[in-house]
Amino acid sequence: MYEFNFNRPASIADALTAIADADDGQFMAGGQTMIPVLKQRLAMPSDVVELANIDDLKGIAVDGGTVTIGAMTPHSEVHNSLEVADAIPALADLAGMIGDPHVRNRGTIGGSVANNDPAADYPAAVVGLGATVVTDRREIAGDDFFVDLFETALVEGELITAVRFPLPDKAAYMKFPNPASRYAIVGVFVSQSNGDVRVAVTGAGPCVFREVAMETALAADFSADAVAGISVSGDDFNNDIHASAEYRAHLVTVMAKRAVIKAG
Amino acid sequence: MPSVSMTVNGNAVGGDIEARTLLVDFIREHLRLTGTHVGCDTSQCGACVVHVDGTSVKSCTMLALQAEGCQVETIESLADGDTLHPMQEAFREHHGLQCGFCTPGMVMTAVAMAKENPNLTESDVRHGLEGNFCRCTGYQNIVESIIAGAKAMQG
């Protein structure tokens, strides 16, 4: 790891100032991806602006129609939240599948979403529930947020403050995890809200995407049988030592079926 | 050089360190508490697990500066002199180790698990160990140790 200046602002305003003043600054949330990246010298920021002391970025708020999770809320808190489990059980369930207990105690929703790892779990929930990413300056629809491999709609110096999820009628997430890292080799999030169906796939491609053919089939008939016959093309899928593109394509259908069954 | 201060095993500690100093390196190299191990250094194996403000973390994936003002507990905090902590005693009794390299992280993870849920089932323990690797035992005796240790901690 190269040396850097470490900043620990106590407010969003101070964090934005710290980033603006740095030659090449980078925000750090829980650091569960960023610290390994720094160790590998894949990033060498002049300044790390760490967000753990900013109370406005923490906590969970549930009102009639939405669950809002502060960007610096760790996965363990979402997983253990009775309010989240009551409002969107699939979201609490997903948070409990990320990494391992120690990673979940440090890793945050804001960090996961901002990083947009192709195998991360939260992007599937953001797209699969039609959530909104709230930043210091605007709101970004989940469908527009994830652009490509590790690329998001965030502009230089923009800070995620929260993610706001609408309450679905039903939803579920199933994933086939890498046995060592617990990242999704393929994960599928399905939801149904007022007849609208979303199917979001993570792990398979360069970043999360919606599987439209499955959404159409499930809108007509929300059952595992409705997606069982839909095979997806693995042409643009990830191909690595963990799984071939063809295998990932097969897993999309399998995980979609399982998620639909789990959603009930 | 930035300075850091925290409480480790009940003692106020601190010093001037490079910003890039990992918490595990601060614990091992600066404080000379070498019970906490570095296994993979890639946040997978869990040999470096310590407690920060009561929750288990991988200290190879946290900067020492991120622990500013925190209460840190390492494996050295558990035994009371020559008297082992009930979880350590359970690992000894059930032979929950072979080479012992992963053991500090296993025991710290086990204590965190037992504090959260004293009535651990085998399934709870196996899922709770997803972030801790042992290359010797096949886990069977570790799981037995943790279930027994969690019971002993209630007594």
Side-chain angles (χ1 to χ4, degrees):
Chain A
M1 205 182 317
Y2 295 106
E3 182 63 338
F4 45 77
N5 300 311
F6 185 78
N7 304 268
R8 226 180 186 207
S11 71
I12 292 171
D14 287 351
L16 296 173
T17 303
I19 279 287
D21 289 349
D23 288 339
D24 181 17
Q26 200 168 339
F27 292 122
M28 180 186 283
Q32 298 305 283
T33 297
M34 187 169 163
I35 290 174
V37 166
L38 292 172
K39 284 183 184 179
Q40 293 173 76
R41 298 188 168 180
L42 294 172
M44 44 183 300
S46 64
D47 292 69
V48 170
V49 179
E50 201 253 21
L51 306 168
N53 275 3
I54 305 176
D55 289 340
D56 287 346
L57 297 178
K58 296 177 192 169
I60 296 167
V62 180
D63 65 26
T66 59
V67 172
T68 303
I69 300 177
M72 284 298 289
T73 309
H75 310 320
S76 55
E77 193 175 329
V78 176
H79 176 55
N80 293 323
S81 163
L82 297 177
E83 282 183 297
V84 175
D86 187 46
I88 313 179
L91 188 59
D93 187 44
L94 176 145
M97 291 189 214
I98 300 170
D100 61 54
H102 323 301
V103 169
R104 291 196 289 273
N105 284 337
R106 296 287 305 163
T108 66
I109 187 168
S112 169
V113 168
N115 189 48
N116 192 18
D117 189 294
D121 297 294
Y122 264 128
V126 171
V127 173
L129 287 165
T132 301
V133 178
V134 184
T135 78
D136 62 287
R137 63 200 73 178
R138 59 179 170 151
E139 299 195 346
I140 307 170
D143 286 341
D144 302 327
F145 184 82
F146 303 100
V147 176
D148 205 344
L149 187 76
F150 294 111
E151 188 184 339
T152 69
L154 292 170
V155 298
E156 192 83 21
E158 187 171 11
L159 177 65
I160 297 175
T161 57
V163 182
R164 195 172 63 232
F165 296 90
L167 269 50
D169 295 335
K170 53 183 169 183
Y173 178 65
M174 284 298 286
K175 76 165 167 177
F176 192 88
N178 177 311
S181 70
R182 304 283 162 186
Y183 269 109
I185 289 178
V186 166
V188 177
F189 197 105
V190 299
S191 75
Q192 187 183 50
S193 312
N194 298 320
D196 286 341
V197 173
R198 282 173 171 264
V199 177
V201 180
T202 190
C207 80
V208 64
F209 63 90
R210 291 174 69 177
E211 185 53 50
V212 179
M214 289 186 179
E215 292 182 351
T216 307
L218 290 171
D221 171 19
F222 197 87
S223 73
D225 287 345
V227 291
I230 299 176
S231 54
V232 301
S233 164
D235 286 352
D236 299 320
F237 280 5
N238 307 323
N239 190 3
D240 54 34
I241 58 166
H242 306 299
S244 67
E246 292 75 13
Y247 185 54
R248 282 187 161 88
H250 176 73
L251 282 176
V252 171
T253 304
V254 175
M255 291 301 121
K257 278 162 54 184
R258 291 184 186 175
V260 169
I261 291 167
K262 194 172 173 187
Chain B
M1 222 183 270
S3 64
V4 69
S5 59
M6 66 185 84
T7 304
V8 176
N9 302 339
N11 302 312
V13 298
D16 294 335
I17 54 170
E18 287 188 323
R20 61 181 167 179
T21 307
L22 297 169
L23 178 58
V24 71
D25 291 331
F26 181 71
I27 290 168
R28 287 179 56 85
E29 308 296 333
H30 293 251
L31 305 181
R32 309 305 292 174
L33 293 171
T34 54
T36 303
H37 289 171
V38 179
C40 69
D41 197 29
T42 56
S43 57
Q44 302 199 49
C45 81
C48 66
V49 167
V50 301
H51 298 179
V52 175
D53 287 344
T55 63
S56 61
V57 306
K58 289 179 165 172
S59 60
C60 82
T61 311
M62 182 168 176
L63 301 172
L65 289 173
Q66 291 181 289
E68 173 69 34
C70 291
Q71 302 280 337
V72 178
E73 303 283 340
T74 72
I75 187 73
E76 288 90 346
S77 71
L78 294 184
D80 181 9
D82 289 336
T83 306
L84 294 178
H85 181 278
M87 189 60 78
Q88 292 173 307
E89 184 60 36
F91 270 70
R92 193 193 67 76
E93 178 68 24
H94 294 266
H95 197 51
L97 64 150
Q98 286 181 27
C99 87
F101 192 86
C102 71
T103 310
M106 287 288 177
V107 172
M108 293 308 283
T109 299
V111 169
M113 246 192 267
K115 282 183 177 167
E116 201 171 306
N117 176 8
N119 300 307
L120 290 167
T121 65
E122 180 181 338
S123 171
D124 293 334
V125 174
R126 290 191 184 275
H127 281 293
L129 289 179
E130 280 173 358
N132 296 76
F133 294 170
C134 172
R135 298 287 82 137
C136 305
T137 65
Y139 300 95
Q140 187 60 31
N141 287 358
I142 294 176
V143 173
E144 287 175 13
S145 302
I146 294 174
I147 292 171
K151 281 200 186 107
M153 281 171 64
Q154 293 182 70

